[in-house]
Amino acid sequence: MNHRPEAGDSGFTLIELMISLGLFALIAVAGLALVDGILRVNGRTEARLDRLAALQRTMFVLSSDLDQIASGPIEGRGNRLSFTRSAPGSGGLATPVRYAVAGGMLVRVAPAPQLLLPGVFTARWRFWDGGWIDHWPVDGSDEAKARWPRAIALDVQAAGPGGAPVILHRVVTLPARARDQTVQ
């Protein structure tokens, strides 16, 4: 028994279905490629923002420490610095603080070690006392140890937000200190 389609009976042919499925597959592949590209850009952006936050946090901690410097000697040379920091908020005793570069990382020790910034290539402390010098105190005398520089600068070359090297430069002025004060 043969069935003939009537005028009202219509449908899609196999060729039409194959063409529509092919077009749908092309649109889906393009959509997946677009989503994949967006996810990769998002991942890179997050990594850059995390690195930028680490750089900013490091500079904030450094500035905060130097803004709260307490009585005592300041010693620094090359990639290390040490001084005493007050603890005004906690009412605690003054705390010795040291900064150093070890294993490509800027480390703060006060009194426990704290990793401040990984990916550090070089760091250099400098001291302003009428001109920039690379070490403090200028000489080893008790008088020199009792003096403070007027400002301390840190130049750090580190991996930046995109991975390329960046140079961070921070200068912090120190509070006035009597020039004839002796270390106790």
Side-chain angles (χ1 to χ4, degrees):
M1 164 174 226
N2 287 345
H3 176 51
R4 288 185 166 179
E6 296 179 12
D9 260 355
S10 62
F12 294 105
T13 65
L14 183 59
I15 299 268
E16 291 170 332
L17 285 175
M18 296 288 279
I19 289 172
S20 63
L21 284 174
L23 289 174
F24 177 73
L26 285 174
I27 292 170
V29 166
L32 285 175
L34 181 65
V35 168
D36 183 53
I38 289 171
L39 290 176
R40 277 188 274 128
V41 167
N42 187 38
R44 285 193 311 263
T45 301
E46 283 184 24
R48 288 179 177 178
L49 288 174
D50 289 345
R51 184 61 179 173
L52 183 60
L55 294 169
Q56 289 175 333
R57 185 175 43 252
T58 299
M59 293 296 115
F60 175 77
V61 169
L62 169 68
S63 295
S64 177
D65 278 346
L66 289 173
D67 285 343
Q68 297 180 43
I69 197 164
S71 296
I74 296 173
E75 295 181 14
R77 179 179 304 274
N79 65 2
R80 42 188 182 84
L81 173 72
S82 63
F83 57 92
T84 303
R85 175 189 180 203
S86 64
S90 63
L93 299 173
T95 305
V97 178
R98 288 180 306 151
Y99 283 88
V101 175
M105 297 178 281
L106 182 61
V107 178
R108 173 184 183 258
V109 180
Q114 173 189 8
L115 169 63
L116 277 184
L117 187 63
V120 173
F121 305 123
T122 62
R124 183 174 109 181
W125 296 95
R126 294 181 306 141
F127 307 89
W128 176 262
D129 192 35
W132 288 109
I133 54 176
D134 290 329
H135 57 87
W136 194 266
V138 178
D139 62 38
S141 70
D142 288 339
E143 179 183 324
K145 288 180 181 179
R147 293 182 52 229
W148 283 359
R150 294 180 193 161
I152 297 177
L154 172 63
D155 295 318
V156 175
Q157 184 180 20
V166 296
I167 296 176
L168 301 172
H169 179 73
R170 179 60 53 125
V171 177
V172 179
T173 57
L174 299 181
R177 182 177 182 193
R179 297 285 181 194
D180 59 352
Q181 182 179 0
T182 57
V183 179
Q184 298 177 7

